[in-house]
Amino acid sequence: MIMNGVDLTASQGAAIYEKNADKTIIETAANSVNLIDGGTIADTEEVKGATIYATHDLTFKGDGTLAVNGDAKDAVYTKDGLKIKSGTLFALGS
């Protein structure tokens, strides 16, 4: 997934929810600013509490900026490995 000027808001739970992939890569385009805002309902069986929620490996890379706001709980959550290879990442949890 390559982000280039993304402004994504979830009404509840995760704005990005990876459920069955072996790995997820979120890449920001050069000089882009991307905003992701999670919903206000915390972790339940149906609604995941983190704004970006991954059940497997999660990697951030690119030459842009990504700001992730976790209104209900965490900004970023993964059950496996987390890598930040490049770019600028702001993660604000509650």
Side-chain angles (χ1 to χ4, degrees):
M1 165 185 321
I2 298 177
M3 296 187 175
N4 189 359
V6 170
D7 188 352
L8 177 64
T9 300
S11 61
Q12 58 183 7
I16 297 175
Y17 175 29
E18 173 275 307
K19 188 174 180 180
N20 293 316
D22 288 334
K23 63 183 175 180
T24 300
I25 300 171
I26 297 176
E27 183 175 353
T28 55
N31 302 314
S32 67
V33 175
N34 304 277
L35 309 169
I36 302 176
D37 195 13
T40 56
I41 296 175
D43 210 8
T44 67
E45 188 64 32
E46 298 82 26
V47 179
K48 299 302 175 188
T51 299
I52 298 176
Y53 188 99
T55 59
H56 297 90
D57 291 339
L58 177 61
T59 300
F60 292 95
K61 68 179 191 174
D63 295 318
T65 299
L66 176 60
V68 184
N69 183 27
D71 285 340
K73 196 173 178 184
D74 299 325
V76 176
Y77 175 85
T78 180
K79 290 184 177 182
D80 276 345
L82 174 64
K83 294 179 185 176
I84 302 172
K85 291 187 169 185
S86 59
T88 304
L89 175 66
F90 296 98
L92 306 168
S94 59

